[in-house]
Amino acid sequence: MQISLIRPIYPKINKLNTLKQTQIQSNSKFELGNIQPHFLGIRIARSVCLIFEDGSIEKLDSYQAAAERLGVSGDVMYNYLRTNSKAKLNGAICTYSDIIEKKNDNGSTEYDNEAIEQLKIRAKIQGISSPKTDKINAKYKKQIYMVSLDGSIKKFNSRAEASRETKIPTGGISNILNPEHPHTATRERKTFISVYDASIKDKNGDLILDENNEPILDEKVIFGIRKMLSKLPVPQIVSIDKDCNVKIFQSRAEVVEKENVCPSTLDWNIVCMARKIGDKTYAKLSDVILKDDDGFAVFDENGDYILDRAKIEALKDIAGL
């Protein structure tokens, strides 16, 4: 079964730039002002923070100002911030300010020391690694894990290998791995993380290896990923009849087509919970799956959700089936 992504896939920017020029020249009714800036390839201004080795932080209004401050070109700074491809740039860590800032309850803003420390570790400001260690880190930054909601993990040597096996485009995998796109996953509740980011590191940001010279998996990171996946919406819908028989549909559209149910009536039934439609009631699959004490879904040996019979009985009784 081919896996589709939650994130939408936008047209290529060069085509949209062509569209922009065409609309300007033809003066058509199409309003350019209605196009979102990222569609037109416009670089939206975001303030940038520079973190220096002495711990000082300098905040600038734009990436152009940050580039001028460090003596690099605007394109170099923009690509650095967009891809996060380098640890330091001319002796400073550069990051968008919203990444290391947090808002207090009173509306004031302060720097998030934990986020800053993580950036320092990644940039190795606290120490210098040997070329051998840098090579090991680089190797495992290319390798990736695919993590599922049930906690299963699969390792791939590259994004291309993962794409070939999962049928997910490499661009889609890259979007999930992009640190600027957190909480992104496939519809099947799987996500990707680099082996480097999923492993235990020392204070300098270097991987800690086991006796087989393999990175040691950080269980806290995997637990956090599962927690994130558990909060994502489950697209499937279930029908429940008077005998508590459950049928799973992959989407709302499938229910409408196969059960001949009015879409608005189905939506009303799901939102209001356990309303009767004919001789059945309908609910989100996430409302009837069995969960453990940590709030994670429980799976059987085939990797399928285990249903909570008590919840199903309760929904049937409320609906008056």
Side-chain angles (χ1 to χ4, degrees), residues 59-228:
K59 185 175 180 179
L60 299 115
D61 292 334
S62 65
Y63 75 89
Q64 294 97 330
E68 184 177 352
R69 170 68 176 81
L70 294 181
V72 298
S73 70
D75 284 339
V76 168
M77 177 62 70
Y78 177 76
N79 289 325
Y80 171 90
L81 292 167
R82 182 176 63 86
T83 62
N84 201 17
S85 60
K86 297 179 181 178
K88 288 188 291 185
L89 188 62
N90 281 9
I93 303 173
C94 311
T95 181
Y96 286 119
S97 59
D98 51 69
I99 293 177
I100 61 170
E101 288 180 338
K102 61 180 179 180
K103 286 188 176 181
N104 299 319
D105 294 337
N106 60 10
S108 62
T109 302
E110 66 179 27
Y111 290 121
D112 187 338
N113 291 327
E114 185 177 348
I116 293 172
E117 286 303 315
Q118 289 298 321
L119 288 174
K120 285 183 178 180
I121 290 173
R122 187 167 185 173
K124 302 188 181 73
I125 283 181
Q126 299 174 357
I128 300 174
S129 300
S130 67
K132 180 180 179 181
T133 304
D134 285 338
K135 188 174 181 180
I136 291 173
N137 290 343
K139 171 186 175 182
Y140 289 110
K141 284 179 181 178
K142 292 180 180 179
Q143 295 183 359
I144 59 176
Y145 286 130
M146 182 174 71
V147 184
S148 303
L149 176 60
D150 61 1
S152 60
I153 301 173
K154 186 162 188 178
K155 183 178 178 182
F156 299 98
N157 289 317
S158 66
R159 300 178 188 190
E161 181 183 327
S163 177
R164 286 194 297 270
E165 185 158 335
T166 64
K167 308 302 181 186
I168 302 174
T170 52
I173 296 174
S174 296
N175 280 340
I176 294 175
L177 289 167
N178 191 331
E180 290 191 11
H181 300 159
H183 315 311
T184 312
T186 66
R187 288 189 180 275
E188 283 68 27
R189 291 193 170 191
K190 295 178 174 65
T191 192
F192 296 93
I193 184 172
S194 72
V195 173
Y196 176 85
D197 290 333
S199 303
I200 298 176
K201 295 172 279 292
D202 62 20
K203 67 178 183 179
N204 297 324
D206 296 323
L207 291 172
I208 298 176
L209 306 180
D210 61 17
E211 62 275 8
N212 298 316
N213 285 327
E214 290 293 325
I216 301 173
L217 192 67
D218 191 334
E219 295 295 339
K220 290 182 180 179
V221 172
I222 303 303
F223 183 87
I225 289 175
R226 291 186 62 203
K227 206 69 175 176
M228 177 273 290

